[in-house]
Amino acid sequence: GDVYKRQARIIDSSVNTLLIATDGSKASLEAITFAAHAIDLKKVENIEVLSVAESTSEISAARATEATKHAAETLEHAGVKASEKVCTGEAAAAIVGEARKTDANLVVMGSRGLSGIKELLLGSVSRSVSENVNCPVLIVK
């Protein structure tokens, strides 16, 4: 209770650009819900939801677009507007690149992804992002 409130206040005061990375998985949607409770998102000026299509295939692009749409809708239910962005490439590099480009103060992401094999990779995605961005990363288990 109180610890969360204290942490949320610390986060609130410094975040004006928030990047939420999503892959459409249950874990990444839970990360969004957690962020909405931990941070007063209404005070955040810019919120961007990002999903990375790992290949140029239509299926991959459609899945990524669906993930951002779903995440933005989840935020809308919390009364928060977010912009949506889909890019193609390796997930960690794309998230790091976007965090730098938008000058994000905080990156929020889930710790695990969609499939068994990807789970191993996604652990390394969240680790790689946290090691390479210039801002705090909130990884929600």
Side-chain angles (χ1 to χ4, degrees):
D2 279 352
V3 175
Y4 273 142
K5 281 182 191 153
R6 268 201 308 277
Q7 286 175 338
R9 270 204 296 277
I10 292 163
I11 293 171
D12 273 352
S13 63
S14 60
V15 178
N16 59 5
T17 301
L18 170 63
L19 178 63
I20 299 174
T22 182
D23 63 3
S25 65
K26 193 165 171 272
S28 68
L29 288 173
E30 282 167 3
I32 293 164
T33 305
F34 179 87
H37 291 293
I39 308 162
D40 185 354
L41 295 179
K42 291 185 176 78
K43 288 182 183 169
V44 180
E45 285 171 42
N46 307 305
I47 300 174
E48 181 178 296
V49 177
L50 172 71
S51 188
V52 183
E54 298 212 347
S55 78
T56 54
S57 76
E58 278 183 41
I59 293 168
S60 188
R63 191 179 293 137
T65 302
E66 189 59 35
T68 56
K69 203 174 103 185
H70 204 100
E73 283 168 2
T74 302
L75 288 164
E76 219 168 274
H77 288 303
V80 177
K81 269 255 173 269
S83 60
E84 298 169 42
K85 176 146 190 188
V86 174
C87 56
T88 307
E90 192 273 313
I95 295 165
V96 169
E98 192 62 17
R100 288 186 178 150
K101 198 161 79 180
T102 60
D103 212 11
N105 304 100
L106 180 67
V107 175
V108 172
M109 60 194 299
S111 62
R112 289 192 312 279
L114 293 165
S115 70
I117 295 167
K118 271 196 184 162
E119 272 188 31
L120 296 172
L121 297 173
L122 273 147
S124 68
V125 170
S126 51
R127 187 167 54 250
S128 181
V129 169
S130 66
E131 287 169 0
N132 292 293
V133 292
N134 308 326
C135 66
V137 179
L138 175 60
I139 299 168
V140 182
K141 283 186 172 184

